[in-house]
Amino acid sequence: MSQEELLVLIYKKDEKAFTHLYDMYSKSLFAVIHVLIKNREEAEDVLQDVFVKIWKNIDSYNESKGRFYTWILNIARNTSIDKLRSKNFNNSQKNLSSDNFVNLLDDSNKLANKLDAIGIQEFVKKLKPKCIEIINLLFFKGYTQQEASEELAMPLGTIKTQNRNCINDLRNYLKI
Protein backbone atom coordinates (compact mmCIF):
# COMPACT_ATOMS: atom_id res chain seq x y z
CA MET A 1 0.00 0.00 0.00
CA SER A 2 1.45 3.37 -0.97
CA GLN A 3 1.51 6.31 1.39
CA GLU A 4 -1.07 8.15 -0.73
CA GLU A 5 -3.48 5.19 -0.57
CA LEU A 6 -2.86 4.90 3.14
CA LEU A 7 -3.62 8.59 3.70
CA VAL A 8 -6.91 8.32 1.81
CA LEU A 9 -7.98 5.47 4.09
CA ILE A 10 -6.81 7.26 7.23
CA TYR A 11 -8.81 10.35 6.25
CA LYS A 12 -11.79 7.99 6.14
CA LYS A 13 -10.85 6.76 9.67
CA ASP A 14 -10.19 3.20 8.46
CA GLU A 15 -8.85 1.27 11.48
CA LYS A 16 -6.90 -1.25 9.38
CA ALA A 17 -5.13 1.63 7.68
CA PHE A 18 -4.27 3.06 11.09
CA THR A 19 -2.75 -0.29 12.09
CA HIS A 20 -0.72 -0.24 8.88
CA LEU A 21 0.37 3.33 9.63
CA TYR A 22 1.51 2.24 13.08
CA ASP A 23 3.47 -0.66 11.63
CA MET A 24 5.13 1.64 9.09
CA TYR A 25 6.20 4.44 11.38
CA SER A 26 6.21 3.33 15.03
CA LYS A 27 9.86 2.23 15.14
CA SER A 28 11.26 5.41 13.63
CA LEU A 29 9.01 7.66 15.74
CA PHE A 30 9.88 5.71 18.88
CA ALA A 31 13.59 6.19 18.14
CA VAL A 32 13.10 9.97 17.96
CA ILE A 33 10.99 10.02 21.13
CA HIS A 34 13.42 7.80 23.07
CA VAL A 35 16.32 10.13 22.27
CA LEU A 36 14.44 12.92 24.05
CA ILE A 37 12.79 10.87 26.78
CA LYS A 38 15.32 8.44 28.16
CA ASN A 39 12.83 6.31 30.10
CA ARG A 40 11.54 3.52 27.85
CA GLU A 41 8.09 3.26 29.50
CA GLU A 42 7.55 7.02 29.33
CA ALA A 43 8.69 7.02 25.69
CA GLU A 44 6.19 4.24 24.88
CA ASP A 45 3.41 6.30 26.48
CA VAL A 46 4.40 9.31 24.40
CA LEU A 47 4.41 7.15 21.25
CA GLN A 48 0.84 6.13 22.01
CA ASP A 49 -0.11 9.78 22.52
CA VAL A 50 1.52 10.65 19.20
CA PHE A 51 -0.56 8.13 17.28
CA VAL A 52 -3.73 9.31 18.99
CA LYS A 53 -2.88 12.88 17.93
CA ILE A 54 -2.20 11.73 14.37
CA TRP A 55 -5.56 9.93 14.29
CA LYS A 56 -7.49 12.88 15.71
CA ASN A 57 -5.71 15.59 13.74
CA ILE A 58 -5.24 13.96 10.35
CA ASP A 59 -7.52 16.57 8.82
CA SER A 60 -4.98 19.27 9.67
CA TYR A 61 -2.28 17.64 7.53
CA ASN A 62 -1.69 19.61 4.34
CA GLU A 63 0.41 17.99 1.60
CA SER A 64 1.33 21.36 0.13
CA LYS A 65 3.08 22.35 3.38
CA GLY A 66 5.33 19.31 3.63
CA ARG A 67 5.77 15.58 3.61
CA PHE A 68 3.57 13.38 5.78
CA TYR A 69 6.56 11.87 7.56
CA THR A 70 7.81 15.34 8.49
CA TRP A 71 4.37 16.20 9.85
CA ILE A 72 4.17 13.12 12.10
CA LEU A 73 7.82 13.57 13.11
CA ASN A 74 6.99 17.09 14.30
CA ILE A 75 4.04 15.72 16.27
CA ALA A 76 6.36 13.18 17.93
CA ARG A 77 8.99 15.79 18.72
CA ASN A 78 6.51 18.35 20.08
CA THR A 79 4.68 15.74 22.17
CA SER A 80 8.01 14.61 23.62
CA ILE A 81 8.99 18.16 24.49
CA ASP A 82 5.57 18.75 26.07
CA LYS A 83 6.11 15.63 28.17
CA LEU A 84 9.57 16.78 29.25
CA ARG A 85 8.18 20.16 30.29
CA SER A 86 5.17 18.77 32.14
CA LYS A 87 5.13 19.18 35.89
CA ASN A 88 4.27 15.53 36.51
CA PHE A 89 7.26 14.35 34.48
CA ASN A 90 9.59 16.83 36.17
CA ASN A 91 8.33 15.83 39.59
CA SER A 92 8.78 12.14 38.80
CA GLN A 93 12.37 12.87 37.82
CA LYS A 94 12.97 14.83 41.02
CA ASN A 95 11.61 12.06 43.26
CA LEU A 96 14.55 9.72 43.08
CA SER A 97 14.96 6.54 45.10
CA SER A 98 17.49 6.48 47.94
CA ASP A 99 19.87 4.43 45.77
CA ASN A 100 20.23 7.40 43.46
CA PHE A 101 21.24 9.69 46.31
CA VAL A 102 24.29 7.56 47.07
CA ASN A 103 25.32 7.87 43.42
CA LEU A 104 24.62 11.60 43.47
CA LEU A 105 26.89 12.05 46.48
CA ASP A 106 29.64 10.03 44.84
CA ASP A 107 29.22 11.93 41.59
CA SER A 108 29.22 15.31 43.33
CA ASN A 109 32.48 14.44 45.08
CA LYS A 110 33.98 13.44 41.73
CA LEU A 111 32.64 16.64 40.16
CA ALA A 112 34.09 18.76 42.95
CA ASN A 113 37.47 17.13 42.39
CA LYS A 114 37.24 17.73 38.65
CA LEU A 115 36.24 21.35 39.23
CA ASP A 116 39.24 21.82 41.48
CA ALA A 117 41.50 20.14 38.96
CA ILE A 118 40.66 22.61 36.22
CA GLY A 119 40.28 25.59 38.57
CA ILE A 120 36.69 26.43 37.61
CA GLN A 121 35.62 26.63 41.26
CA GLU A 122 37.64 29.82 41.69
CA PHE A 123 35.75 31.42 38.81
CA VAL A 124 32.37 30.30 40.12
CA LYS A 125 33.19 31.77 43.53
CA LYS A 126 33.73 35.16 41.88
CA LEU A 127 30.14 35.29 40.63
CA LYS A 128 27.49 37.13 42.59
CA PRO A 129 25.41 34.86 44.85
CA LYS A 130 22.31 35.53 42.71
CA CYS A 131 24.27 34.44 39.60
CA ILE A 132 25.36 31.23 41.26
CA GLU A 133 21.76 30.55 42.21
CA ILE A 134 20.42 31.25 38.70
CA ILE A 135 23.12 29.24 36.92
CA ASN A 136 22.60 26.36 39.34
CA LEU A 137 18.86 26.24 38.60
CA LEU A 138 19.08 26.72 34.84
CA PHE A 139 22.13 24.67 33.95
CA PHE A 140 22.64 22.11 36.67
CA LYS A 141 19.09 21.39 37.81
CA GLY A 142 17.48 21.69 34.38
CA TYR A 143 14.89 24.33 35.26
CA THR A 144 13.34 26.36 32.47
CA GLN A 145 13.63 30.11 32.79
CA GLN A 146 9.93 30.23 33.73
CA GLU A 147 10.45 27.64 36.49
CA ALA A 148 13.49 29.53 37.79
CA SER A 149 11.41 32.70 37.78
CA GLU A 150 8.78 31.01 39.92
CA GLU A 151 11.34 29.36 42.22
CA LEU A 152 13.18 32.62 42.87
CA ALA A 153 10.02 34.78 42.86
CA MET A 154 11.52 37.04 40.20
CA PRO A 155 10.00 38.31 36.95
CA LEU A 156 10.82 36.19 33.91
CA GLY A 157 12.48 39.11 32.12
CA THR A 158 14.76 39.66 35.10
CA ILE A 159 15.79 36.00 35.07
CA LYS A 160 16.59 36.19 31.35
CA THR A 161 18.63 39.38 31.74
CA GLN A 162 20.49 38.21 34.83
CA ASN A 163 21.23 34.83 33.23
CA ARG A 164 22.75 36.55 30.20
CA ASN A 165 24.76 38.92 32.44
CA CYS A 166 25.94 36.06 34.66
CA ILE A 167 27.11 34.01 31.67
CA ASN A 168 28.95 37.08 30.34
CA ASP A 169 30.61 37.54 33.75
CA LEU A 170 31.69 33.90 33.72
CA ARG A 171 33.04 34.30 30.17
CA ASN A 172 35.02 37.35 31.29
CA TYR A 173 36.48 35.45 34.22
CA LEU A 174 37.40 32.57 31.93
CA LYS A 175 38.57 34.99 29.20
CA ILE A 176 36.52 33.18 26.55
Side-chain angles (χ1 to χ4, degrees), residues 101-115:
F101 289 109
V102 173
N103 294 335
L104 287 174
L105 290 174
D106 289 343
D107 289 346
S108 67
N109 289 335
K110 291 176 191 172
L111 178 63
N113 292 337
K114 287 179 186 174
L115 289 176

Side-chain angles (χ1 to χ4, degrees), residues 1-107:
M1 181 182 305
S2 73
Q3 182 175 306
E4 290 77 25
E5 295 169 330
L6 182 63
L7 283 174
V8 169
L9 293 174
I10 291 173
Y11 281 122
K12 294 178 182 177
K13 303 292 185 187
D14 183 297
E15 291 182 19
K16 289 181 183 177
F18 185 75
T19 301
H20 191 67
L21 175 77
Y22 184 87
D23 292 341
M24 284 177 66
Y25 294 110
S26 63
K27 288 181 183 177
S28 59
L29 292 179
F30 181 77
V32 169
I33 293 166
H34 198 256
V35 166
L36 293 168
I37 299 181
K38 308 296 185 215
N39 181 303
R40 183 172 185 82
E41 289 177 11
E42 294 283 345
E44 289 170 353
D45 287 345
V46 170
L47 180 65
Q48 183 177 357
D49 291 343
V50 166
F51 276 97
V52 169
K53 286 181 180 182
I54 292 168
W55 181 255
K56 287 182 176 179
N57 298 314
I58 191 65
D59 294 329
S60 68
Y61 170 64
N62 185 344
E63 288 182 40
S64 67
K65 290 186 179 180
R67 293 180 21 207
F68 179 70
Y69 182 72
T70 305
W71 184 72
I72 64 173
L73 195 61
N74 281 329
I75 292 173
R77 183 182 157 279
N78 292 340
T79 304
S80 299
I81 291 170
D82 290 346
K83 180 69 170 183
L84 287 172
R85 290 180 178 170
S86 73
K87 286 190 179 193
N88 288 338
F89 184 80
N90 285 328
N91 287 339
S92 73
Q93 299 303 303
K94 290 176 186 175
N95 296 328
L96 302 173
S97 71
S98 60
D99 294 337
N100 288 327
F101 289 109
V102 173
N103 294 335
L104 287 174
L105 290 174
D106 289 343
D107 289 346

